[in-house]
């Protein structure tokens, strides 16, 4: 199976279906720290094996194989893209069908990896709305995968980001997301997610605990016994519920 990748700097990015914005702004999916790059410089629109590059009216333009692009241009594997002083290359690699499938959770893990630095920066600066915008599609995809029994390696990354956003935004929707995610998986969240829930709960204006209590009840009624480590995490979640209920 042919997998499309964009190579820039020292990393390759899997190109899944969708739009990738290239620019200097932190909100771009591919952020280039280059004064010659506009905040929103260009986009890559990916549909199957078709990749279209479009200049977004940038100050210094975009070139493909040394030729200036006016408007949009369909790319071919091997094309060299120049954005500002940065060089990027479109690659096509053959991989076994079992290893990668377009739009599969494996691809989404790569997309979390791509935007992770941008999200971390937004959260560190208290830019909750920016982090929400960056993560919205990926979080929905991860929850859909969990509900369909296609849990990927990125699921705990989704849970951690949602929990961290509670502390920045104070929105109960992110708390509900964590509960929905791990309820769909039928398991406990990792310690890092629980730590983030504890840290963020102080910012919660209010939360409906019915769903959370049902999730805990489901874990408690599971006939498979918990390990000591799992009992510790479960106890912390019960303590969190008590703290939220006491408000």
């Amino acid at each position: 199976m042919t997998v499309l990748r964009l190579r820039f700097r020292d990393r390759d990015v899997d190109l899944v279906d969708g739009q990738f914005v290239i620019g200097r702004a932190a909100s771009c999916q591919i952020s280039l720290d280059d004064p010659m790059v506009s905040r929103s410089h260009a986009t890559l629109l990916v549909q199957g094996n078709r990749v279209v590059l479009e200049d977004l009216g940038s100050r210094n333009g975009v070139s493909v194989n040394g030729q200036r692009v006016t408007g949009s241009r369909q790319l071919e594997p091997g094309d060299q893209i120049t954005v500002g002083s940065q060089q990027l290359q479109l690659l096509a690699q053959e991989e076994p069908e079992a290893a990668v499938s377009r739009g599969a959770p494996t691809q989404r893990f790569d997309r979390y990896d791509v935007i992770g630095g941008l999200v971390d920066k937004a959260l560190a600066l208290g830019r909750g709305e920016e982090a929400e915008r960056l993560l919205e599609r990926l979080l929905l995809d991860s929850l859909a995968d969990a509900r369909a029994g296609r849990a990927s390696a990125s699921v705990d990354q989704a849970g951690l980001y949602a929990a961290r956003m509670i502390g920045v935004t104070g929105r109960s929707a992110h708390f509900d997301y964590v509960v929905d995610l791990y309820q769909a998986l039928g398991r406990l969240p990792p310690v890092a997610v629980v730590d983030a829930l504890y840290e963020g709960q102080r910012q919660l204006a209010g939360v409906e605990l019915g769903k959370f209590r049902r999730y805990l009840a489901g874990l408690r009624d599971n006939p498979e016994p918990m390990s000591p480590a799992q009992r510790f995490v479960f106890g912390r979640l019960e303590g969190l519920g008590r703290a939220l209920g006491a408000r």
Side-chain angles (χ1 to χ4, degrees):
M1 178 178 181
T2 302
V3 177
L4 296 176
R5 292 190 170 98
L6 185 69
R7 176 166 293 171
F8 71 105
R9 297 176 183 170
D10 58 349
R11 66 195 302 183
D12 290 349
V13 178
D14 283 10
L15 295 178
V16 298
D17 288 354
Q19 179 175 269
F20 293 76
V21 180
I22 304 171
R24 200 176 70 252
S27 57
C28 294
Q29 282 76 26
I30 300 174
S31 183
L32 304 177
D33 186 12
D34 184 333
M36 295 181 64
V37 175
S38 300
R39 288 183 59 79
S40 295
H41 199 108
T43 63
L44 291 175
L45 180 63
V46 183
Q47 295 178 315
N49 290 324
R50 186 171 183 265
V51 181
V52 176
L53 172 71
E54 182 178 358
D55 185 357
L56 296 176
S58 62
R59 182 177 66 252
N60 294 311
V62 183
S63 297
V64 175
N65 302 327
Q67 296 182 337
R68 182 73 174 257
V69 173
T70 302
S72 61
R73 169 172 169 167
Q74 183 169 338
L75 300 178
E76 300 296 334
D79 281 348
Q80 296 277 353
I81 308 158
T82 303
V83 181
S85 63
Q86 306 297 314
Q87 297 292 323
L88 306 91
Q89 185 179 23
L90 181 66
L91 304 175
Q93 299 178 355
E94 293 295 327
E95 295 193 3
E97 183 74 25
V100 178
S101 59
R102 182 164 298 280
T106 315
Q107 300 276 9
R108 294 190 185 116
F109 175 78
D110 292 330
R111 290 181 69 186
Y112 275 109
D113 187 49
V114 169
I115 69 169
L118 302 178
V119 175
D120 290 339
K121 181 179 178 180
L123 291 173
L125 295 173
R127 298 173 181 169
E129 291 184 1
E130 184 177 306
E132 289 174 329
R133 185 172 64 254
L134 288 166
L135 287 167
E136 180 180 14
R137 183 70 261 168
L138 295 185
L139 292 182
L140 289 174
D141 287 345
S142 292
L143 181 57
D145 285 340
R147 286 173 169 167
R150 299 191 304 267
S152 69
S154 65
V155 68
D156 288 325
Q157 187 69 64
L160 182 57
Y161 274 132
R164 288 176 62 194
M165 284 196 292
I166 297 170
V168 177
T169 68
R171 294 186 59 211
S172 62
H174 298 309
F175 184 89
D176 290 340
Y177 177 90
V178 175
V179 175
D180 286 339
L181 184 67
Y182 288 99
Q183 189 169 46
L185 294 168
R187 66 173 174 85
L188 290 160
V191 172
V193 174
V194 178
D195 288 344
L197 288 175
Y198 262 90
E199 184 174 347
Q201 58 92 15
R202 291 172 292 183
Q203 306 301 323
L204 277 173
V207 63
E208 171 54 53
L209 289 176
K211 181 187 298 185
F212 183 56
R213 288 167 176 156
R214 288 192 294 273
Y215 163 61
L216 293 181
L219 293 174
R220 191 183 298 111
D221 295 340
N222 191 324
E224 185 174 339
M226 295 185 190
S227 67
Q230 289 173 325
R231 286 198 298 272
F232 173 76
V233 173
F234 183 78
R236 292 197 69 203
L237 288 176
E238 287 186 313
L240 178 62
R242 288 192 294 270
L244 291 171
R247 291 185 174 186

